[in-house]
Amino acid sequence: DTPFGKQEFYLVAHDKKSSSDSDLTIAWQKAHGMKIQALVMSTGDLSKKGKEHLKDWGNLVKWEKIKF
C-alpha cells in the first residue's frame, strides 16, 4: 500500500552473480504487457549496461540486491 493506493509489480528474482541489461529488458517487456512496473531482485550485482538502462527507464523498472 502507498498513499496513492495499492501498487502492483511484476517480480523477477535471480540467484546469479550478475544481472545484465537483458534481464531488465525481459522483466520490463513482461511488465509492460501487463501495464505494471517491474521489480528485479538478485543476489548478484547489476552490470554497467544494466545501470544505464535503469537511468533511462526511470520508475518503470526497479532493481534491488538481496542477501540470504
Side-chain angles (χ1 to χ4, degrees):
D1 287 333
T2 69
F4 302 107
K6 288 193 179 266
Q7 273 292 309
E8 290 188 19
F9 289 90
Y10 178 78
L11 174 64
V12 178
H14 292 254
D15 185 13
K16 300 168 49 172
K17 289 185 179 184
S18 178
S19 292
S20 67
D21 59 314
S22 63
D23 294 326
L24 297 179
T25 301
I26 291 168
W28 176 81
Q29 288 173 340
K30 291 189 179 188
H32 182 71
M34 300 167 69
K35 298 185 182 192
I36 58 176
Q37 295 174 327
L39 173 60
V40 180
M41 302 177 94
S42 178
T43 55
D45 294 321
L46 185 59
S47 69
K48 184 178 180 179
K49 197 168 182 182
K51 290 177 185 176
E52 291 173 12
H53 275 33
L54 282 180
K55 288 179 188 176
D56 293 340
W57 289 334
N59 290 328
L60 299 175
V61 178
K62 300 288 185 191
W63 183 85
E64 284 290 324
K65 183 174 181 176
I66 54 176
K67 294 181 183 179
F68 290 104

